[in-house]
Amino acid sequence: MKNNDSPRSETVRVTEILRDEIIDGVRAPGSRLVERNLASELGVSRVPVREALKQLASEGLVAHRPNTWATVREFSPSDVADLAEVRQAFDLLAFELAAQRHTREGLASLEATMEAGRRQAEAGDAVGAHRSAAAFHSIVTELSGNRLLVEVGQLLDSRMRWQLSQHDELDVVATEHAELFDAIAHRDVDRVRELATHHLSTSRQQHDKHRERLAHEGKTAETEDANEEG
């Protein structure tokens, strides 16, 4: 650890690194998160790693096993369904309030994020597009002007970022965000409500397609391995 790095700053840094790696798919669901290994990999002591894992567990990204190592959380169909129900209520309210209360500066920030996501989608930059999509939703929540909603959004942020990272059709998300931005900019609350409802449906479909693709790829890999062994 560098002498000018406090334990707090190291914990924040390690937390950010691990959070991004989990959400971006670098660390697969179910993979082990062993303190000593992570400490060696990241060049820190085990203390910030331990604190980071506790924080990520509170965010719903890490599962702790008693008397053993932590693992990257594997979201069950029930977990995904629960999150979808919460997002249904949360996102609709956030988008509707953003349409009513947005400021010129906030709208400019939303547009810049939307355009960045579109460029990344066109370039096939999945990680960048997923991060921009998450930032788009976060800015919409800020534009709601509701402090309590923003606080709740912070509690859900990691899980919502994770769900948005499960989308394979980047152009679909970019197009729907552009339509939502236009409706918000014109303060068209009815249109925003309609688009947000459709967007949530698309998100669920995208997640299902992503899960099916991974399952298919897993079966294909198992078949190829069996053929090679044979």
Side-chain angles (χ1 to χ4, degrees), residues 78-111:
S78 178
D79 292 331
V80 174
D82 287 347
L83 180 57
E85 288 179 349
V86 173
R87 281 194 63 194
Q88 181 73 27
F90 182 91
D91 278 7
L92 283 178
L93 179 58
F95 276 106
E96 288 179 19
L97 292 179
Q100 297 170 26
R101 301 175 178 176
H102 69 261
T103 62
R104 181 179 300 176
E105 295 78 10
L107 193 64
S109 177
L110 187 65
E111 182 176 24

Side-chain angles (χ1 to χ4, degrees), residues 17 23 63 75 82 101 123 137 176 192 211 219-220:
I17 291 172
I23 292 173
F75 285 85
D82 287 347
R101 301 175 178 176
H137 281 260
E176 292 189 1
V192 164
R211 185 175 55 192
K219 290 180 180 179
T220 300

Side-chain angles (χ1 to χ4, degrees), residues 87-88 91-92 95-96 137 167 169 171-173 175-177 179-180 190-206 209:
R87 281 194 63 194
Q88 181 73 27
D91 278 7
L92 283 178
F95 276 106
E96 288 179 19
H137 281 260
H167 297 173
E169 298 175 8
D171 57 329
V172 172
V173 176
T175 297
E176 292 189 1
H177 279 183
E179 292 171 345
L180 280 161
D190 290 338
R191 179 63 173 159
V192 164
R193 186 181 299 112
E194 176 188 347
L195 290 171
T197 300
H198 178 72
H199 188 54
L200 287 165
S201 176
T202 297
S203 181
R204 289 191 292 270
Q205 293 170 8
Q206 288 270 322
K209 288 181 180 179

Side-chain angles (χ1 to χ4, degrees), residues 136-157:
F136 182 89
H137 281 260
S138 180
I139 294 171
V140 166
T141 303
E142 292 175 5
L143 296 184
S144 73
N146 186 308
R147 293 183 181 180
L148 182 56
L149 195 66
V150 171
E151 289 180 17
V152 173
Q154 291 171 345
L155 295 174
L156 297 173
D157 184 66

Side-chain angles (χ1 to χ4, degrees), residues 1 15 40 52 62 70-71 85 87 109 114 148 153 161 171 174 181 196 213 224:
M1 180 188 301
T15 303
S40 176
V62 166
T71 62
E85 288 179 349
R87 281 194 63 194
S109 177
M114 180 267 293
L148 182 56
R161 281 184 59 192
D171 57 329
F181 169 79
R213 178 178 65 79
E224 291 176 349

Side-chain angles (χ1 to χ4, degrees), residues 27-34 37-38 65 68-72:
R27 298 186 185 274
S31 59
R32 297 179 182 181
L33 298 168
V34 183
N37 294 347
L38 292 173
R65 296 181 178 180
T68 184
W69 51 78
T71 62
V72 176

